[in-house]
Amino acid sequence: MDPNNPSPSGGLKIPKLPDIKIPNLPKITVTRKQALTAAGVAVILVAVAVIGGTILFDYTEDQQVSAFRSHISASEADLFRVYGKISTYMRTSTTDLSVAECDAHVREFAAIARYGRDVTAYHRQIVAADAVPAAYAGAQSAYVRALDNLNRAFTYWLSAAGAYDVRDYSAADRNLAEADKAWREYAAAIADYDRELRAAEEGAEVPPA
Amino acid sequence: MEWKDVIPVVAGAAVILVVALVVKPALLGEPIGFGSRGTVPVGDPPVYVPSSPVPTPTPIPDDGEVYTRNFRWTAIDGGVQTTEVTVPKALFGEHRKTPRFSDYASWGRYALASSDRPFLEDLARRIAPPAANPDAEYFRLMNLVFFVQQIPYDNDENATSYIEGALPRYAMYKGGGVEYPKYPVETLVDGRGDCEDAAILMAGLLDALGYDTVLLRYSDHMALGIRMGEFNPYYARYTPRYFTYGGQHYYYVEGTDFEWWNVSTNSTAIWGKPRAIGDAAGTGLPSVQSETPQIVPLRYVPEPKEYRISPARLPGNGV
């Protein structure tokens, strides 16, 4: 039987497999120059990995404190802008105002309250999102609490202005009393913040609030 | 080293940087790139939006029709005075169509209504003309007080208290009774009113003359408080009563309780004795004797006690 032409009948025929020739692999020869090149590449690779890892996992503490500082600074600048408007409002004499002028005066109060509420909410988001070193966590928390209290105080002011608009002066007075309380809590939180900051930067012990 | 050896290193570095600066921040919700981890997308900083200015008051349509009322009262010198008051019907009708404030604390607004102000200034000048002699100031003040005290008293629930002969649409039903605080010109046109109407009218007239007044609200009464330094005249047979508000003394002034008698049994003519400043003892109302009134300023604006920003030290040893 011709192995290349198996007969269609008379049993199973296995075709002949061609001969496979495995070529000889070239022999690897490493020169000194090539070895040094590979080692250099490995060293560079490790260096890049270390630098990338540093970027990947953390900013330095200085960078974090610097960002925290700039955010507190921006917040303080805006808060003092609000305070400038409050001071002007409080200095205005209401002794001889007409009813229309009283209404306009209270609209100004509401505008300041709205501005203060928005400013505190804005900076609260930024400061709360700051990644700070562990030593600064207490100061960050106290400052966020201060902004929260201030935000509440301005919200009560807005409610007082709203109560004035519907001529419910008793409700306006109640809201002002709540706002006064929130302002005092804000002042206490700022005192806490200063204490925590001193502890973080000077290593002083934080006395109980 | 050849270029083909450097390419894998550069590619590896690029992958690491992409992971560090793009993939990881994207996964953790942090800002992409070299920005601070603390910076979150919060939009633009808020800006101050100033309030609207004082609006120009809407003029009351003047169709020429007026209410004319004649008043006759005994002045402080014992002489009988008369005066005529005219009020546009349109202004009076506008007030009658205005809802009332249920909170007593806002009733000072009635006394200061800008639409009534010209009429009150004119009336105050006629009752108490300006005097060159400062000693006459007390007589001017008392003439105004006496004028108001002698306007007949009528309860809010009585239809006779209103020229229409019926309770106004916005009369309020409070505490089992009716309350309808009148604008000053309503009291003048009706020619009568109750305690709060008298106190409001008196406050409006005195404010037009430059006096600082408040309303004194008791559980069942309303009177006026007028700011004075020390008031203790030698002729007073009572201890003048005052209340302290905002560090100032406000002396009690009754607006309605004019003591009167018929001149004779068969006469409808009356004579009487007005209540002086500080005289709270003679009103006969237990509430006035025993209660400390709620003080209602004519001009109310919200004034917070606390409003100071405390400067915060900056981190990094900054101030």
Side-chain angles (χ1 to χ4, degrees):
Chain A
M1 185 181 69
D2 184 358
N4 292 324
N5 296 295
S7 166
S9 61
L12 184 67
K13 300 283 178 16
I14 299 169
K16 183 186 177 189
L17 292 173
D19 291 336
I20 298 169
K21 287 184 179 174
I22 300 171
N24 289 332
L25 290 173
K27 191 177 178 184
I28 298 172
T29 53
V30 179
T31 65
R32 179 180 296 228
K33 183 183 173 189
Q34 285 172 326
L36 284 174
T37 301
V41 167
V43 167
I44 292 170
L45 198 58
V46 168
V48 169
V50 168
I51 293 167
T54 305
I55 295 171
L56 176 64
F57 292 112
D58 64 1
Y59 276 82
T60 63
E61 291 200 350
D62 282 350
Q63 283 173 314
Q64 290 177 336
V65 172
S66 171
F68 184 44
R69 176 195 168 91
S70 77
H71 293 155
I72 298 285
S73 173
S75 169
E76 289 293 296
D78 276 355
L79 288 182
F80 275 93
R81 261 192 283 281
V82 177
Y83 181 59
K85 296 195 181 303
I86 298 171
S87 302
T88 307
Y89 173 84
M90 294 303 291
R91 275 199 304 270
T92 308
S93 168
T94 56
T95 311
D96 294 318
L97 297 186
S98 68
V99 168
E101 287 165 337
C102 283
D103 292 349
H105 191 62
V106 177
R107 280 198 298 277
E108 174 72 12
F109 181 68
I112 293 169
R114 203 169 291 115
Y115 181 45
R117 185 197 58 185
D118 293 350
V119 161
T120 48
Y122 176 81
H123 287 290
R124 191 236 185 259
Q125 275 194 76
I126 293 173
V127 174
D130 268 339
V132 295
Y136 284 84
Q140 181 192 32
S141 163
Y143 195 81
V144 167
R145 196 168 70 249
L147 288 178
D148 281 341
N149 284 319
L150 214 43
N151 184 272
R152 209 154 41 87
F154 285 125
T155 305
Y156 277 123
W157 280 15
L158 257 184
S159 300
Y164 174 92
D165 283 343
V166 296
R167 311 298 169 235
D168 189 350
Y169 294 175
S170 306
D173 281 340
R174 282 196 299 276
N175 278 297
L176 283 184
E178 289 296 326
D180 286 345
K181 197 171 143 205
W183 274 94
R184 286 192 290 274
E185 286 166 0
Y186 152 75
I190 285 294
D192 286 348
Y193 161 82
D194 277 346
R195 208 166 33 241
E196 292 281 356
L197 195 59
R198 195 165 291 115
E201 296 184 336
E202 298 167 14
E205 274 192 28
V206 181
Chain B
M1 185 183 294
E2 295 175 17
W3 274 111
K4 67 178 182 183
D5 300 324
V6 175
I7 288 171
V9 176
V10 173
V15 168
I16 290 170
L17 285 172
V18 167
V19 169
L21 299 176
V22 179
V23 179
K24 184 237 177 188
L27 290 175
L28 298 183
E30 293 175 354
I32 293 170
F34 281 100
S36 161
R37 291 170 64 193
T39 306
V40 290
V42 289
D44 295 329
V47 290
Y48 176 69
V49 181
S51 60
S52 53
V54 181
T56 311
T58 312
I60 296 292
D62 184 9
D63 54 9
E65 285 195 82
V66 295
Y67 288 112
T68 302
R69 294 289 179 269
N70 290 297
F71 291 89
R72 184 173 182 273
W73 78 102
T74 305
I76 190 171
D77 61 2
V80 173
Q81 306 285 321
T82 58
T83 194
E84 187 180 83
V85 175
T86 57
V87 174
K89 286 188 175 180
L91 172 60
F92 180 82
E94 196 65 32
H95 284 333
R96 282 290 207 250
K97 287 188 285 185
T98 304
R100 304 292 126 151
F101 311 128
S102 61
D103 184 7
Y104 298 104
S106 58
W107 284 8
R109 288 180 72 91
Y110 296 120
L112 298 182
S114 8
S115 54
D116 291 20
R117 191 71 173 192
F119 302 97
L120 295 182
E121 285 174 349
D122 176 57
L123 180 60
R125 269 196 303 272
R126 278 186 283 130
I127 296 171
N133 181 2
D135 293 338
E137 199 56 37
Y138 176 70
F139 294 94
R140 295 181 71 211
L141 166 64
M142 290 312 295
N143 274 334
L144 268 184
V145 171
F146 285 6
F147 167 80
V148 176
Q149 284 181 344
Q150 291 170 61
I151 292 175
Y153 181 90
D154 209 343
N155 272 322
D156 281 344
E157 56 255 47
N158 293 342
T160 50
S161 186
Y162 312 98
I163 55 166
E164 303 92 333
L167 265 60
R169 178 182 168 194
Y170 288 110
M172 299 179 291
Y173 295 87
K174 294 181 75 171
V178 174
E179 283 289 10
Y180 183 79
K182 292 177 180 176
Y183 282 88
V185 298
E186 284 184 282
T187 305
L188 292 171
V189 172
D190 284 333
R192 47 189 57 236
D194 67 358
C195 58
E196 81 261 7
D197 303 327
I200 288 167
L201 173 59
M202 201 186 281
L205 287 167
L206 290 173
D207 194 83
L209 286 188
Y211 286 96
D212 180 9
T213 61
V214 294
L215 302 178
L216 304 176
R217 190 210 154 217
Y218 295 88
S219 58
D220 60 352
H221 188 54
M222 187 169 271
L224 184 96
I226 183 165
R227 180 161 69 87
M228 301 180 88
E230 280 304 316
F231 180 73
N232 198 6
Y234 67 90
Y235 54 80
R237 295 177 183 169
Y238 56 88
T239 304
R241 178 172 291 186
Y242 66 83
F243 302 95
T244 304
Y245 176 73
Q248 305 289 340
H249 290 176
Y250 289 86
Y251 284 80
Y252 183 96
V253 184
E254 180 53 56
T256 56
D257 200 16
F258 179 58
E259 268 189 296
W260 59 272
W261 301 269
N262 289 99
V263 171
S264 64
T265 314
N266 299 322
S267 170
T268 54
I270 59 170
W271 69 282
K273 185 179 74 172
R275 298 279 178 204
I277 292 174
D279 182 7
T283 59
L285 288 171
S287 58
V288 174
Q289 309 307 319
S290 60
E291 294 176 9
T292 300
Q294 175 191 359
I295 295 183
V296 178
L298 301 192
R299 291 174 179 80
Y300 172 87
V301 289
E303 281 185 356
K305 293 187 183 70
E306 308 280 347
Y307 57 88
R308 284 182 177 77
I309 293 290
S310 312
R313 252 166 30 93
L314 296 182
N317 294 317
V319 177

